[in-house]
Amino acid sequence: MIIPYDNCCDGRNAGSYGNTRNCLACGDVEGKFDILFNRVRAIQKKSGNFDLLLCVGNFFGSTPDAEWEEYKTGIKKAPIQTYVLGANNQETVKYFQDADGCELAENITYLGRKGIFTGSSGLQIVYLSGTESLNEPVPGYNFSPKDVSSLRTMLCTTSQFKGVDILLTSPWPKYVGNFGNSSGEVDTKKCGSALVSSLAMGLKPRYHFAALEKTYYERLPYRNHVVLQENAQHATRFIALANVGNPEKKKYLYAFSIVPMKLMDAAELVKQPPDVTENPYRKSGQEASIGKQIPAPVEESACQFFFDLNEKQGRKRSSTGRDSKSPHPKQPRKPPQPPGPCWFCLASPEVEKHLVVNIGTHCYLALAKGGLSDDHVLILPIGHYQSVVELSAEVVEEVEKYKATLRRFFKSRGKRCVVFERNYKSHHLQLQVIPVPVSCCATDDIKDAFITQAQEQQIELLEIPEHSDIKQIAQPGAAYFYVELDTGEKLFHRIKKNFPLQFGREVLASEAILNIPGKSDWRQCQISKEDEETLARRFQKDFEPYDFTLDD
Ligand SMILES: [Zn+2]
């Protein structure tokens, strides 16, 4: 039998091998992990390695857990970085503990309820887990009109928005068969989700994968623009996949090569395939209802975050004697928006602005609420990024600048900096910067304390090369914790299942380092708003001679 996959390089990618990602997409796995991964191994043996495997539909089945246990405990391992959507029914919700996504087993990552992840290559993948429900509030295995509209708002409202590389949903989009080749037994006027259609219409994915109908259907590519009325845009390929190991040998695994659209030449990107059809979701007759079910995305005003940091105006820099009347840095491009309320997006109303002590172009500094010490600060991106792994080069550069500046600042005050990030159950990147008085202990003592306490809690903390990039080590979407010492040494842990949320704080608060064990929980350290304001003002003043945001 021929292995049911094809190399659907459509010629667009020729000549750009460096940027090409070789991907696999798969339909409902339903617990048949061995069959799937053995097939993937066979394909990789024959055709070379693929970069990632994307699974839509039901990843878990109603079968006993024995097979899964072997992956979960590491006896068996997925041969490729695998990303999966969440539950579509009550029965399998239990496997997806963290709505924000998490690692389910080595090499197997749950993407989360909804969102976007950008691979290190720049490939943008939007995912929406579950099936449609129009009644709020929805259970963990459904998505609602609100979920879809927040995804659309997050992505489609900027004028630069052109589309995304890949969209993953479990249900088919309703009406996808309109103007297309036959979808077989599946009647797309009756089955599928209208919310998914509206999402696909808005997001303009280059590839859209779905499952759940236990059949394979590759629709002819459809166009995203109106001919003669709009500029040409790229086409969308919709592919529905069958279930793994189905007896009819319907195709469940699909191989494709893709260059992230942001790396593609615009003319190449919009080349129309010869068999392109009309957009199946475009309003016409009975289809006019698509899109009406969800509220229109609201344009958010950018750059609301340039509120005043008082006392800066009119001050003179002692180092240069230069007047600093224009404290606001160059306006950055609009930063990524969060899917919901966020405590750390600088533009969001939830931010405790009185704790903000310095604002750069891409990042800002804030005093930690309930900090371990009065000068415990956070480096935060202004826009919504979940982890260091997601940051663009320019944001990373400013993070590093803040780190280096804080190191110098604290050094002048007889302290060394310990920096840590926990990318686990956190929505918005927070780099914790905790100064430790030099008199307390040596850097090696800090390192030993982390290693010892990690061992006690069976946390595998690995030393990683000093100049290594977390991006190279952590897979996109995977949870991790790392700590960076003032020498630049780094200790890294890949979070598999559970991780003590206060781990970093606990170690630093312990007798071996700051010796304030009572402060290991931030909730124990809260002070009044006035006191917070006083601390913030003091920090701002002390930090001013180091403030690079005043330079040009
Ligand atoms: Zn945020």
Side-chain angles (χ1 to χ4, degrees):
M1 199 198 76
I2 298 164
I3 294 173
Y5 92 101
D6 59 18
N7 267 317
C8 98
C9 290
D10 40 31
R12 290 178 293 179
N13 304 335
S16 45
Y17 291 114
N19 294 328
T20 305
R21 310 312 285 171
N22 295 315
C23 308
L24 290 166
C26 172
D28 306 86
V29 181
E30 298 192 321
K32 294 178 178 169
F33 310 110
D34 288 346
I35 296 181
L36 168 65
F37 292 132
N38 286 338
R39 172 61 54 79
V40 170
R41 274 187 204 98
I43 290 173
Q44 298 209 107
K45 207 170 160 194
K46 184 168 168 269
S47 311
N49 280 349
F50 284 76
D51 296 298
L52 46 93
L53 166 64
L54 306 166
C55 298
V56 292
N58 296 317
F59 188 66
F60 293 99
S62 46
T63 45
D65 278 346
E67 210 174 293
W68 176 242
E69 275 304 311
E70 293 183 313
Y71 288 91
K72 214 171 118 182
T73 53
I75 297 170
K76 287 183 182 168
K77 188 182 153 182
I80 181 170
Q81 189 61 50
T82 304
Y83 295 96
V84 311
L85 291 181
N88 297 299
N89 50 54
Q90 182 61 53
E91 227 181 338
T92 55
V93 168
K94 62 177 182 201
Y95 295 105
F96 304 96
Q97 299 286 350
D98 189 342
D100 297 326
C102 55
E103 190 167 79
L104 299 176
E106 191 170 355
N107 266 357
I108 304 177
T109 303
Y110 163 45
L111 288 163
R113 287 283 300 272
K114 62 166 189 283
I116 176 162
F117 103 59
T118 307
S120 51
S121 60
L123 198 66
Q124 283 201 311
I125 303 175
V126 173
Y127 53 91
L128 178 67
S129 290
T131 55
E132 175 180 306
S133 167
L134 299 177
N135 305 315
E136 301 269 7
V138 297
Y141 52 88
N142 283 148
F143 56 82
S144 67
K146 239 193 226 163
D147 289 316
V148 170
S149 78
S150 84
L151 266 180
R152 286 185 58 151
T153 307
M154 181 166 72
L155 292 159
C156 316
T157 48
T158 59
S159 55
Q160 305 97 314
F161 180 80
K162 286 204 191 82
V164 299
D165 290 305
I166 299 170
L167 171 62
L168 304 177
T169 61
S170 285
W172 289 31
K174 208 169 182 176
Y175 311 121
V176 67
N178 286 355
F179 315 122
N181 46 320
S182 163
S183 50
E185 312 105 79
V186 180
D187 180 354
T188 66
K189 287 192 171 57
K190 294 204 181 94
C191 105
S193 156
L195 288 175
V196 169
S197 316
S198 119
L199 185 63
M201 176 93 177
L203 289 180
K204 302 173 192 169
R206 294 165 65 205
Y207 283 88
H208 178 181
F209 294 98
L212 296 182
E213 301 298 335
K214 305 213 177 309
T215 193
Y216 164 68
Y217 170 54
E218 180 167 5
R219 194 199 181 283
L220 292 173
Y222 64 82
R223 55 175 91 84
N224 281 297
H225 61 279
V226 180
V227 178
L228 301 177
Q229 287 178 36
E230 291 173 323
N231 291 335
Q233 295 174 27
H234 59 268
T236 297
R237 291 163 190 275
F238 171 76
I239 296 131
L241 293 156
N243 44 321
V244 169
N246 64 82
E248 301 92 347
K249 306 219 182 303
K250 290 179 189 165
K251 181 163 164 150
Y252 64 81
L253 202 54
Y254 185 93
F256 63 109
S257 299
I258 186 168
V259 175
M261 61 190 285
K262 67 177 195 187
L263 301 177
M264 279 179 79
D265 177 61
E268 274 295 298
L269 179 65
V270 304
K271 258 189 200 161
Q272 302 294 304
D275 48 357
V276 71
T277 77
E278 188 46 79
N279 189 313
Y281 317 125
R282 185 92 46 207
K283 287 175 189 174
S284 69
Q286 69 190 93
E287 285 78 60
S289 61
I290 298 174
K292 271 198 189 150
Q293 293 180 22
I294 61 164
V298 184
E299 182 76 51
E300 285 168 43
S301 67
C303 304
Q304 304 164 343
F305 44 81
F306 291 110
F307 55 86
D308 256 341
L309 278 185
N310 49 11
E311 294 189 23
K312 231 186 209 176
Q313 308 269 350
R315 284 241 182 142
K316 300 224 174 195
R317 290 288 311 277
S318 49
S319 54
T320 59
R322 186 163 53 80
D323 194 83
S324 58
K325 267 247 163 76
S326 55
H328 297 329
K330 293 148 254 155
Q331 300 230 332
R333 268 174 285 153
K334 186 179 178 180
Q337 305 294 304
C342 180
W343 289 94
F344 298 105
C345 276
L346 195 46
S348 96
E350 286 83 11
V351 166
E352 300 210 41
K353 298 199 164 48
H354 68 284
L355 292 170
V356 175
V357 291
N358 194 271
I359 304 176
T361 309
H362 307 286
C363 305
Y364 70 101
L365 283 186
L367 276 194
K369 201 168 179 63
L372 277 168
S373 59
D374 291 350
D375 46 8
H376 173 176
V377 290
L378 309 177
I379 304 172
L380 303 139
I382 288 172
H384 192 73
Y385 295 94
Q386 197 186 342
S387 72
V388 159
V389 176
E390 290 176 5
L391 300 180
S392 63
E394 51 190 7
V395 185
V396 169
E397 198 183 308
E398 198 172 86
V399 166
E400 291 302 322
K401 204 166 172 186
Y402 266 119
K403 266 200 244 168
T405 309
L406 285 168
R407 278 208 188 106
R408 277 190 289 119
F409 168 65
F410 284 123
K411 198 174 171 195
S412 75
R413 309 174 80 80
K415 295 173 182 182
R416 49 176 126 247
C417 276
V418 178
V419 178
F420 69 82
E421 181 195 353
R422 186 197 74 223
N423 175 30
Y424 173 66
K425 294 193 192 270
S426 70
H427 292 271
H428 189 119
L429 164 61
Q430 300 151 58
L431 270 184
Q432 309 269 346
V433 183
I434 296 102
V436 178
V438 173
S439 58
C440 269
C441 55
T443 303
D444 274 347
D445 298 326
I446 300 176
K447 189 169 156 186
D448 287 346
F450 269 98
I451 292 171
T452 313
Q453 296 206 30
Q455 275 167 351
E456 277 172 17
Q457 303 188 49
Q458 264 115 50
I459 294 167
E460 191 189 24
L461 209 50
L462 301 170
E463 204 162 325
I464 56 171
E466 227 171 90
H467 295 290
S468 55
D469 185 350
I470 300 296
K471 269 190 197 185
Q472 312 279 299
I473 293 161
Q475 297 285 349
Y480 61 82
F481 169 89
Y482 79 89
V483 55
E484 189 176 334
L485 306 169
D486 60 326
T487 47
E489 290 168 279
K490 290 181 188 142
L491 301 168
F492 180 87
H493 169 62
R494 292 184 65 188
I495 299 177
K496 303 247 163 69
K497 286 187 298 253
N498 300 314
F499 184 77
L501 295 180
Q502 302 291 333
F503 179 72
R505 267 186 88 107
E506 271 163 15
V507 177
L508 285 159
S510 68
E511 285 82 355
I513 306 180
L514 290 168
N515 195 15
I516 41 170
K519 285 194 160 191
S520 59
D521 187 339
W522 71 274
R523 283 160 295 208
Q524 305 294 316
C525 307
Q526 296 208 64
I527 53 172
S528 70
K529 191 175 175 191
E530 282 112 72
D531 289 346
E532 287 177 338
E533 278 166 355
T534 310
L535 291 182
R537 272 199 298 271
R538 193 199 301 164
F539 187 95
Q540 230 175 299
K541 188 163 173 286
D542 293 342
F543 186 68
E544 202 189 61
Y546 293 83
D547 184 359
F548 61 83
T549 66
L550 299 173
D551 304 339
D552 266 324

